[in-house]
Amino acid sequence: MAFQHTPNRYFMTDDAGKLVAEVTYPDIDDGRAFVIDHTFVDPSLRGQGIAAKLVRAVVDEARTSGKTIEPLCTYARHAFDTTPEYADVLRPTGE
């Protein structure tokens, strides 16, 4: 499964072009960090680990670009809380 990528967004559409999965992560801190503010997976695709893969794509991009991440949306917060290996890109509180 390959996601499409535009600046600050990974997403997937079905064959008809309907959006079926998405994560958005605008820049914050003058471009030094991302904030994951939205994660969406169509109900027909839930339970397949797609949201986790979307968040992982942002984590990988943050590592490559030397940025940190503020996990704002509920799913992203859960992913960071339950995935200790994301600690290296977690934006420190109060930064």
Side-chain angles (χ1 to χ4, degrees):
M1 150 184 347
F3 297 120
Q4 297 174 53
H5 182 240
T6 58
N8 304 99
R9 179 180 184 229
Y10 286 96
F11 64 101
M12 187 169 62
T13 57
D14 65 13
D15 292 338
K18 176 186 170 198
L19 181 68
V20 293
E22 173 182 56
V23 64
T24 57
Y25 54 101
D27 290 307
I28 58 172
D29 295 338
D30 296 320
R32 295 187 319 261
F34 297 129
V35 58
I36 299 178
D37 63 353
H38 170 73
T39 306
F40 162 76
V41 176
D42 188 82
S44 67
L45 297 176
R46 291 192 183 150
Q48 298 179 37
I50 294 172
K53 291 175 185 173
L54 287 165
V55 169
R56 179 58 188 240
V58 180
V59 167
D60 290 345
E61 184 174 339
R63 286 179 176 146
T64 300
S65 62
K67 295 185 179 189
T68 58
I69 297 172
E70 174 74 26
L72 185 62
C73 80
T74 304
Y75 181 82
R77 278 196 315 264
H78 172 75
F80 272 76
D81 287 346
T82 59
T83 312
E85 54 268 24
Y86 290 173
D88 64 313
V89 295
L90 180 62
R91 179 176 173 258
T93 303
E95 184 174 289

